[in-house]
Amino acid sequence: MKILFVSSEVYPLVKTGGLGDVAGALPAALRAMGVDARILMPAYPDAMGRATLTGRTLGLGDPLGVGETRLLEGTMPDTGCPLWLLDCPPMYERSGDPYMVYPGNDWPDNFKRFALLSKAAAMIGAAGDLMDWRPDVIHAHDWQTGLVPAYLKAWSVRRPPVLFTIHNLHYMGIFGQEILEIVGLPLDQFSINGLEYHGLVSMLKAGIQYSQAVSTVSPSYAREIQGPQEGRGLDGLLRQRGDSIHGILNGIDVDAWNPLTDPYLAAPIDPTNPEPGKAANKAALKRQMGLDGNGSTPLFGIVSRFVEQKGIDLVLGAIGRLLGEGAQLAVLGSGDRNLEYELNRAASHHPGRIGVHIGYDEHLSHLLQAGSDFLLVPSRFEPCGLTQLYALRYGTAPVVRRTGGLADSVRSVDEGPDGTGVVFDHAFIDAVEWAIGRAVSLYRDPDAMARVRRTAMAQDFSWKRSAEEYFGLYTDLMARD
Ligand code: ADP
C-alpha cells in the first residue's frame, strides 16, 4: 500500500500545532505496519535545514507560473520516513512561521503557495511518467491541501482516491474568485456544488467537496461539524457527505511523552505508583513558576495557545473561585495580547498563587504536565486536542469541556468508577467554576484521586491504534477505486 501524505507542516521539520504532530507521527506509524508512506511538504528553510537530503531532485517545471519548481528527495531526521520537499524559492524561501509575515498577518500570496503544494501532489498522483512511484491514496490535510482533489477532478486522468482530513474547520482558506484563473482551475468549479463559499473560494470546501472520503481527528468532532453550531456554514455539505466522514482520534508520541524516561522531568513517574514522582515534579514546577506553599495545595495547569477557541477567558473569569478553593494555577502559553496581559496581571495580584509564563517552551510544557494535579482545557470547540492526552499519560487529571476530542478521551469521574477527569458541559464561567470545585473535592479524597491517576496512566493513546484505523480507511478507498 502506497500513501502520499501532503501537509503544510510536519514535525520536527516545521510545526505550529497539532497538524504538524499528526503529519510527522502518522506516516511513521504506518511504515511500522509495512505501509509505503511518503511525505510531501514545502521546502521552507527550516525544513531544508533539518531534513536529510539525498541530493537527488526531480524537476516539475513551472506548474503555476511562479518559478521553477523541483522535488528534493530526502528522509525525515528521526523516523527515516521518505520525504519530498517542494522547492520553489519565490514561494517557500521564507523563515519562521509557515503562514504569516508577522503574528496575525498571513502572507498575501498564500493561495499560490498552497495551490502549488496541492498541484504538485496531484501531479505525483496522476498517472504518467513523472516518477516510478504512484500513490494508491493521497492523504491531504487541512485547507492548504484542499485543492489536491480539485486539480485531480479537473484533469481527465486516472487518479488515486483522496482522503481529506480536517484538523480544524475554523481555518477555511478563503480567497477571492479571481484566484481560480491564477491557479489554473476551471471556473465551473466556482459553484455552490463546488468550492464556492458565500461568493468566495474556500480551499477547505474544495477538499471536502472533491475528495473521496473526509476524516476529522475525533469521532465527536466528526458529528459536531455536521450541525449548525460547529459546521460554520459547511454543515449542509458535511451532512450530505455524512457516510464518507470518519472520526479517528489522534495518537501521541509515546516516546517523547514517556513518564518513565522524559528528560525534562524532575523525577520519573511510575504508572503503578505515581505519587512519589508526581510529588517531586510538583515541587520542581512550583519552584520554577514561583508558587509557594507545600505539596498539599491542589495545582491546576494550562498549556495552550491563547485564542478564543481555547476558553482562556473563562478561566480568567473563574480565578476568584479557584483561589477561594485554596488552589493554585500555573499557565504556559501565548497568543492574544489581551489575554497575556490579563493573565500577567492576575499573577502580579496573587504572587505565589498564580504563575504565568508567556511563550513557547517545550521543556516547561513537559514539567507542567508532570507537576500539575489537574490540566484545565475549557475549549469552546476542540477537534482533538493533545494536551489532555499528555496529561492523562502523566497522571494529571484533565478538567475539560465535553466537546470534540476532549469528550472522546476523558471519562468523567461522575459517570462511573473508571473516570479519568472532570467533564463539564457549557462554555460558561460558572460551569468552569463548578468544574474547579469538583476537581478540588476529588483532590481532597486521596483514595479517589489515586484511582483516577492510575486509571489515567493506563490509557492507550499510541499512534498504533489510530494508524490501524487509517489503514482500514485506505483499504476501503482502494477497493472502491
Ligand atoms: P492546537 O493544535 O489547537 O494548538 P493541541 O492540543 O492539538 O492544540 O496541540 C497543541 C500542541 O502544542 C501540544 O503539543 C502542546 O503541548 C503544544 N503547546 C501549546 N502551547 C505551548 C507552549 N506555550 N509551549 C510549549 N508547547 C505548547
Side-chain angles (χ1 to χ4, degrees), residues 49-310:
R50 291 180 186 139
T52 312
L53 295 175
T54 62
R56 272 196 292 277
T57 63
L58 183 68
L60 298 183
D62 183 359
L64 225 55
V66 291
E68 279 302 309
T69 303
R70 306 179 299 165
L71 296 174
L72 313 181
E73 191 187 278
T75 53
M76 292 293 287
D78 45 357
T79 61
C81 180
L83 165 79
W84 284 295
L85 293 179
L86 183 65
D87 182 42
C88 179
M91 293 287 103
Y92 305 126
E93 204 178 291
R94 306 173 194 181
S95 297
D97 187 288
Y99 314 118
M100 296 182 206
V101 194
Y102 50 85
N105 277 70
D106 288 345
W107 288 105
D109 56 354
N110 271 353
F111 71 94
K112 284 188 202 160
R113 302 173 72 219
F114 297 115
L116 181 60
L117 175 65
S118 299
K119 193 164 188 179
M123 288 167 76
I124 296 174
D129 52 8
L130 183 61
M131 58 173 73
D132 55 9
W133 189 88
R134 189 174 165 266
D136 298 309
V137 176
I138 300 183
H139 191 164
H141 299 265
D142 271 353
W143 72 263
Q144 295 88 345
T145 63
L147 296 187
V148 175
Y151 280 114
L152 287 170
K153 181 165 174 61
W155 303 341
S156 37
V157 288
R158 190 175 128 68
R159 49 180 186 249
V162 176
L163 170 63
F164 182 66
T165 296
I166 303 168
H167 295 261
N168 194 333
L169 192 78
H170 192 82
Y171 304 101
M172 293 194 172
I174 304 266
F175 303 97
Q177 181 190 355
E178 67 282 0
I179 73 154
L180 286 184
E181 205 173 327
I182 303 171
V183 304
L185 282 171
L187 294 184
D188 65 9
Q189 290 193 351
F190 190 73
S191 85
I192 193 73
N193 297 320
L195 43 66
E196 183 198 343
Y197 181 77
H198 297 296
L200 298 163
V201 167
S202 163
M203 293 194 182
L204 184 91
K205 188 180 175 197
I208 298 170
Q209 189 75 258
Y210 295 126
S211 59
Q212 280 60 46
V214 176
S215 74
T216 69
V217 287
S218 70
S220 286
Y221 193 60
R223 278 191 302 278
E224 289 163 6
I225 58 174
Q226 296 180 52
Q229 175 95 10
E230 294 308 333
R232 295 169 192 273
L234 292 178
D235 45 305
L237 169 61
L238 288 161
R239 276 196 302 281
Q240 242 176 49
R241 300 231 48 195
D243 291 345
S244 315
I245 299 186
H246 309 267
I248 300 177
L249 198 70
N250 286 337
I252 56 173
D253 183 337
V254 290
D255 297 323
W257 292 89
N258 183 340
L260 287 169
T261 58
D262 189 333
Y264 298 139
L265 267 48
I269 308 172
D270 179 351
T272 62
N273 178 30
E275 276 70 26
K278 289 296 291 180
N281 283 294
K282 186 171 177 178
L285 174 63
K286 286 176 72 155
R287 260 197 316 279
Q288 186 157 344
M289 299 295 285
L291 299 173
D292 56 25
N294 59 29
S296 65
T297 313
L299 175 56
F300 289 82
I302 291 179
V303 182
S304 186
R305 292 185 293 131
F306 298 161
V307 291
E308 214 220 338
Q309 172 193 345
K310 302 290 181 181

Side-chain angles (χ1 to χ4, degrees), residues 15-19 21 168 250 257 303-305 309-310 332-334 357 359-362 365 369 382 384-388 390:
K15 166 183 161 177
T16 69
L19 165 63
D21 284 326
N168 194 333
N250 286 337
W257 292 89
V303 182
S304 186
R305 292 185 293 131
Q309 172 193 345
K310 302 290 181 181
L332 166 63
S334 63
H357 182 98
Y360 190 95
D361 187 330
E362 193 74 27
S365 76
Q369 291 280 8
E382 194 59 79
C384 175
L386 295 173
T387 58
Q388 84 281 10
Y390 302 146

Side-chain angles (χ1 to χ4, degrees), residues 316 319 323 341-351 354 356:
L316 276 164
I319 275 183
L323 297 173
Y341 171 80
E342 291 294 337
L343 282 164
N344 273 329
R345 203 161 74 118
S348 64
H349 283 179
H350 304 284
I354 299 177
V356 173

Side-chain angles (χ1 to χ4, degrees), residues 300 318 321 325 399-400 402 412-415 421-426 428-441:
F300 289 82
R321 173 70 180 266
E325 293 277 356
V399 177
V400 302
R402 197 189 308 276
S412 163
V413 291
D414 293 317
E415 284 164 20
V422 174
V423 182
F424 61 96
D425 283 296
H426 300 293
F428 299 137
I429 291 170
D430 53 3
V432 176
E433 288 177 336
W434 172 85
I436 288 170
R438 181 68 189 91
V440 171
S441 72

